[in-house]
Amino acid sequence: MTTIKVHGHPRSSNTRRVLLVLKEKEIPYELITSDWNAAEHTEPTWLEAHPFGLMPYLDDNGFTVYESRAIGRYLAAAYSAKGPALVPAASAGPKALAAFEQAAAVEAFTFDPLLTGILHERFVKPFQGGTTDETVVAPLITQLEAKLEGYERILSKTKYLAGDEITLADLFHIPLLSFFVPAKLDMFTNEDKAKKWPHVVKWAEGLLARESTKATATA
Ligand SMILES: N[C@@H](CCC(=O)N[C@@H](CS)C(=O)NCC(=O)O)C(=O)O
């Protein structure tokens, strides 16, 4: 078997999402680190595999796929016999699939945009020589905290977002959950806040303590 190649960067959260799935499923892989400063991801050969010129993409013996969440789903389907399933089996039926897809959609369309907006202000802008605009951050934090109340309603009933087994929907949160402490987001550390969503705190701490999380951490 040819080793799976991930073209991306260890500091790219979207690359990390893919590496986490590979680690969880114990699939051997090689990370081919792109030259981010030289914008290698915009070169013609890269665009052959990723038409939008972003990281990461995966090469499985000549088959290429991009978009971190699509890559995760590909790995779960192509390597279903290896490691934990991470998605409901077809035999589990449409209701199990719906539970998984709704959890995955919450991550992609609610959690990710809010965190991306906050991290853009608190990390990307200062890195690019600009300054954080806290008037942009404040409403995003308010929205995120309101969403954590929704997460609490889910996680007070089931251990993970789509039931009592971990799925891709949980794992997909890890790259941006890892930024809560460095981005000074205190929802899990401020006692008054944390007591509003104790099950979310436990879930997040559990995800951040996983071996796959530690193995893919860069700092
Ligand atoms: N939705 C895409 C997002 C990919 C993405 O934005 N990757 C970032 C790195 S984390 C990137 O390539 N940035 C380089 C750029 O914007 O030029 C995915 O999930 O793979």
Side-chain angles (χ1 to χ4, degrees):
M1 190 174 91
T2 321
T3 305
I4 285 178
K5 294 184 179 63
V6 181
H7 293 260
H9 197 283
R11 291 197 180 279
S12 142
S13 54
N14 292 293
T15 301
R16 190 180 184 195
R17 188 170 290 111
V18 171
L19 303 185
L20 281 158
V21 176
L22 287 160
K23 286 278 179 202
E24 288 280 339
K25 288 191 73 67
E26 295 178 23
I27 301 170
Y29 67 87
E30 183 186 353
L31 172 62
I32 302 182
T33 302
S34 68
D35 188 342
W36 200 333
N37 290 334
E40 189 186 340
H41 53 281
T42 62
E43 288 176 4
T45 47
W46 191 287
L47 296 176
E48 283 294 317
H50 195 319
F52 298 99
L54 293 169
M55 296 170 252
Y57 75 87
L58 179 131
D59 181 342
D60 186 4
N61 200 20
F63 170 73
T64 58
V65 53
Y66 58 90
E67 281 291 338
S68 59
R69 295 166 182 85
I71 298 170
R73 283 171 165 84
Y74 166 73
L75 291 168
Y79 296 89
S80 56
K82 191 143 174 58
L86 302 179
V87 293
S91 58
K95 291 176 186 165
L97 183 64
F100 166 69
E101 287 298 349
Q102 73 183 2
V106 170
E107 185 280 321
F109 303 118
T110 298
F111 182 79
D112 184 282
L114 291 171
L115 259 297
T116 300
I118 295 167
L119 297 178
H120 179 76
E121 284 298 327
R122 290 206 170 158
F123 280 111
V124 179
K125 272 173 72 177
F127 181 75
Q128 291 172 339
T131 43
T132 301
D133 184 348
E134 287 295 340
T135 66
V136 173
V137 176
L140 295 174
I141 288 182
T142 304
Q143 289 175 62
L144 179 59
E145 291 183 352
K147 296 299 178 188
L148 291 184
E149 290 175 16
Y151 276 75
E152 180 64 17
R153 288 180 200 111
I154 301 167
L155 293 166
S156 61
K157 292 189 191 130
T158 55
K159 190 171 174 201
Y160 293 104
L161 292 174
D164 288 325
E165 300 293 331
I166 195 163
T167 67
L168 292 178
D170 304 287
L171 296 177
F172 285 172
H173 283 78
I174 293 175
L176 298 186
L177 267 182
S178 302
F179 276 102
F180 271 60
V181 171
K184 298 191 171 32
L185 294 174
D186 65 354
M187 294 89 175
F188 302 147
T189 48
N190 173 310
E191 265 183 46
D192 286 335
K193 288 190 181 183
K195 70 182 179 201
K196 291 197 248 177
W197 33 72
H199 295 88
V200 187
V201 174
K202 193 171 170 216
W203 167 80
E205 285 176 351
L207 290 175
L208 294 177
R210 293 183 79 79
E211 286 306 315
S212 60
T213 305
K214 293 182 208 156
T216 57
T218 49

